[in-house]
Structure formats: C-alpha cells, structure tokens
Amino acid sequence: QVQLVESGGGAVQAGGSLTLSCAASGNILTMYIMAWYRQAPGKQREAVADITMSGSTNYAHSVQGRFTIARDIAKNTVYLHMNSLKPEDMAVYLCHAVGPFGGTWGQGTQVTVSS
C-alpha cells in the first residue's frame, strides 16, 4: 500500500505564499493521478488541483492562476505552490493518489490564512 505524507502547512497572512509537499512511498509515475484536496470546517472536501501520470494538470476555478501543482519524480514528491493566498483558502489540505493499488490519502496539513 502506498503511503502519502504531507508537509509544508502553516499560518500566513492574506497575500502570502506557501508550498505544500506530498511525499509518496512508491513511484509516483505508476500512479494514474495525484491530487490535492482541501476541507474547511463545516464544508465538503473539494478538489484543488491534480496531475496525471502523463503530467497534465487541472485546477479548481477558485485557485486557477494562484496555485501550481508540480512533481519531482526523483523524489516521488508532488508539490502545491500556493500564491496570493486568501482567507477562504484556509483548510486542511490532503494529498490523494490513485494507482494500481486503488486510492490512498495522506493525513493532511493545515493551512491558515489571516486577513
């Protein structure tokens, strides 16, 4: 079973930047898709960005132009670069991977944005 470990969360002021990391225990090139989700208190979990096996990317409309998903194949790590953060971006951010093993989630990392 592939394991995912997120890091990089923290507290920033609005307009600031953070980079989240998701380190996978397996080869990320074997995963059909890797994605970042977020969940704020009292809200449903929502997809933020994803990157496919081929390297194509997709973004939620609310983060397009501000967030960038990227991967380092050698490190088996996927990143979420977040710029121009807004208070509404505050949430627990979770990494998700889907591959031949099925699907798996990381434990999440908290992002706090103050106005």
Side-chain angles (χ1 to χ4, degrees), residues 68-96:
T68 302
I69 189 168
R71 65 186 179 183
D72 186 328
I73 296 167
K75 295 183 178 179
N76 288 318
T77 299
V78 172
Y79 302 96
L80 186 67
H81 303 291
M82 306 185 295
N83 297 316
S84 303
L85 282 161
K86 304 176 181 180
E88 52 263 43
D89 294 320
M90 185 163 61
V92 174
Y93 283 71
L94 303 108
C95 185
H96 179 54

Side-chain angles (χ1 to χ4, degrees), residues 7-13 17-20 82 85 89-91 93 109-114:
S7 61
V12 296
Q13 290 190 325
S17 300
L18 278 175
T19 293
L20 306 182
M82 306 185 295
L85 282 161
D89 294 320
M90 185 163 61
Y93 283 71
T109 185
Q110 175 71 46
V111 171
T112 302
V113 185
S114 58

Side-chain angles (χ1 to χ4, degrees), residues 8-88:
V12 296
Q13 290 190 325
S17 300
L18 278 175
T19 293
L20 306 182
S21 300
C22 171
S25 61
N27 184 350
I28 62 173
L29 283 181
T30 66
M31 300 178 194
Y32 307 139
I33 194 166
M34 292 192 70
W36 286 97
Y37 283 72
R38 66 186 181 188
Q39 187 159 22
K43 294 189 177 181
Q44 286 190 329
R45 187 171 295 184
E46 63 171 343
V48 175
D50 64 66
I51 185 164
T52 67
M53 183 184 286
S54 66
S56 62
T57 58
N58 294 285
Y59 297 92
H61 179 75
S62 59
V63 306
Q64 209 150 19
R66 300 188 297 122
F67 291 11
T68 302
I69 189 168
R71 65 186 179 183
D72 186 328
I73 296 167
K75 295 183 178 179
N76 288 318
T77 299
V78 172
Y79 302 96
L80 186 67
H81 303 291
M82 306 185 295
N83 297 316
S84 303
L85 282 161
K86 304 176 181 180
E88 52 263 43

